[in-house]
Amino acid sequence: MQAREPHQPSGEFVQSLARGLAVIRAFSDERTMLTLADVAKIAGLSRASARRSLLTLETLGYVGMQQNRFYLRPRVLDLGYAFLSSSSSVDVTQDHLRRLSARIGESCSACEYDDGDIVYVARAAADSVMPLRVSIGRRIPAFCTSTGRVLLSAMPPDELDEFFRVYPREKFTPLTVTDEGELRERIAEVRAQGWAVNNQELDLGARSIAAPVVDSRTGAYISAVNITVSTSRVSVEELVEQCLPLLLETTRQIGSDIALMGQQR
């Protein structure tokens, strides 16, 4: 996979902090135990820099080591919890997702855009044959997800150009669209209609529909909410006809509640 181009640091940039965060991000649900060499390669650091960062994080309790392999310790959750606990909009979104999921019997998620990816900030998993296989904080490339395309559709042209220039596009399934021209057409369609459908581009057997949560004061997209269904149970037509009206109702309610909270502060 092509590496992302780093942002240009300012004069206030703290290199050692950046290296430590890169080391933490080297771990994922698919990379839970890593050697020093693994961390250095994934984080793009020298072995010496990776070692210093790992040992510092180990001393602080964020990283553990077993048989020359490193792993994240529960203290890392404090970093994500600080965001979730300080964001009242996440609490509002979570409540609405629970109600929507209970109403339709499907799994729902809310995502925000960050550095080429969508990040899950809230979710509600339904007791269905296809449970939601994501967790809060998980990152997925934006280009191949319904929530990602919704959020990309709100980007100014220069930012969207930069997105296509910088971020790689991996083919996750045979149906994943990676061609820039076709993706731009689909994003333009999402911009025009206000919602997006993803049909097995990320996971075979799963399709989703997403719509934005809009800040009523500025018109900016705060996040995007999706409903995920099994292809064996729900067709694209049924997804649009049955789920889209409830999804749009939910995103409007979330946006209204967030705006009301802002007025009360």
Side-chain angles (χ1 to χ4, degrees), residues 171-184:
K171 203 165 184 66
F172 289 92
T173 77
L175 298 176
T176 307
V177 176
T178 59
D179 177 72
E180 179 177 341
E182 186 172 353
L183 281 170
R184 284 183 179 275

Side-chain angles (χ1 to χ4, degrees), residues 197-239:
V197 169
N198 180 291
N199 189 20
Q200 304 186 80
E201 292 190 51
L202 182 64
D203 290 302
L204 290 176
R207 56 175 56 111
S208 64
I209 190 166
V213 174
V214 182
D215 187 327
S216 60
R217 297 164 296 178
T218 66
Y221 284 13
I222 301 170
S223 60
V225 172
N226 78 356
I227 298 171
T228 303
V229 300
S230 169
T231 57
S232 64
R233 293 186 297 106
V234 182
S235 67
V236 172
E237 292 74 20
E238 290 170 332
L239 186 62

